[in-house]
């Protein structure tokens, strides 16, 4: 027997994410994986009395379309007080060049490049130049100054630029 209306109380909202502000409250729901949302929807169809905990088991955490890596160990099931750490993907092209190929959610190649430039101006990073080679895929080349460690520069990029950000979900 097919349902006449698909359930929409939970998974559908999470696929694209949502955020907004109203009087006295705010919400920030990061996007989630489509396949996991389909699994949660099927769970609701097969078991209309399933709990929110059952649905959270099918959709364990956010998934961002811009790539990068995610640390959702403090996600707190999307409730207030939870934090998701999102990082860009940085690779070593050679000993003097780093390449950023994926950027954190809510950031663009241009905003990441601007944050790197600002960190250099403040003396937080020793970089010779930054080239944005982005076309269909993100590619920001970071050329290191002579005598600069690539490993220490990667750590500094995460610490002082938008290569790492924290997102605070709030499912109001």
């Amino acid at each position: 027997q097919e349902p006449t209306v698909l359930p929409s109380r939970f998974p559908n909202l999470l696929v694209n994410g949502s955020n907004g502000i109203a009087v006295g409250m705010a919400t920030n729901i990061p996007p989630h994986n489509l396949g996991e949302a389909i699994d949660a929807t099927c769970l609701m169809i097969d078991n209309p009395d399933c709990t929110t905990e059952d649905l959270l088991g099918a959709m364990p955490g956010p998934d961002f379309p811009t790539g990068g890596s995610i640390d959702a160990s403090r996600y707190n099931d999307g409730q207030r007080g939870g934090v998701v750490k999102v990082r860009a993907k940085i690779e070593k092209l050679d000993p003097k060049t780093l390449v950023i190929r994926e950027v954190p959610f809510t950031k663009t190649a241009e905003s990441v490049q601007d944050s790197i430039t600002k960190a250099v101006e403040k003396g937080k990073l020793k970089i010779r130049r930054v080239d944005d080679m982005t076309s269909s895929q993100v590619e920001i080349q970071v050329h290191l100054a002579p005598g600069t460690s690539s490993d220490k520069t990667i750590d500094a990029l995460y610490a002082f630029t938008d290569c790492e950000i924290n997102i605070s979900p709030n499912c109001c």
Side-chain angles (χ1 to χ4, degrees):
Q1 188 177 37
E2 293 183 27
T4 56
V5 178
L6 288 176
S8 62
R9 69 172 193 225
F10 190 74
N12 299 342
L13 176 66
L14 293 176
V15 172
N16 292 324
S18 178
N19 60 38
I21 299 173
V23 176
M25 66 179 181
T27 187
N28 184 16
I29 302 171
H32 287 66
N33 183 283
L34 176 62
E36 292 171 354
I38 291 170
D39 292 342
T41 302
C42 291
L43 178 67
M44 288 181 2
I45 291 170
D46 294 340
N47 181 8
D49 297 326
C50 68
T51 65
T52 301
E53 287 76 25
D54 295 332
L55 295 174
L56 289 172
M59 298 180 69
D63 189 11
F64 301 113
T66 57
S69 65
I70 180 173
D71 176 1
S73 61
R74 295 182 12 207
Y75 180 54
N76 193 27
D77 294 334
Q79 299 303 308
R80 178 170 283 191
V83 175
V84 175
K85 186 183 294 187
V86 186
R87 285 183 150 195
K89 181 178 179 183
I90 304 174
E91 302 172 354
K92 295 179 189 177
L93 186 62
D94 59 51
K96 297 289 182 189
T97 310
L98 302 175
V99 178
I100 300 170
R101 298 206 188 271
E102 297 175 1
V103 297
F105 182 63
T106 72
K107 299 299 174 186
T108 63
E110 184 179 346
S111 67
V112 170
Q113 183 180 0
D114 290 344
S115 72
I116 293 170
T117 303
K118 288 177 184 174
V120 170
E121 290 170 355
K122 292 180 181 177
K124 303 289 186 183
L125 294 169
K126 295 180 180 176
I127 293 174
R128 193 166 34 116
R129 73 175 194 273
V130 180
D131 296 328
D132 188 356
M133 311 295 280
T134 301
S135 57
S136 63
Q137 298 290 323
V138 173
E139 183 176 342
I140 303 170
Q141 293 185 356
V142 179
H143 301 276
L144 307 180
T148 305
S149 164
S150 58
D151 291 329
K152 289 183 180 180
T153 302
I154 291 172
D155 292 342
L157 284 167
Y158 288 134
F160 302 117
T161 70
D162 286 346
C163 287
E164 178 179 288
I165 61 168
N166 291 324
I167 298 174
S168 299
N170 183 16
C171 297
C172 178

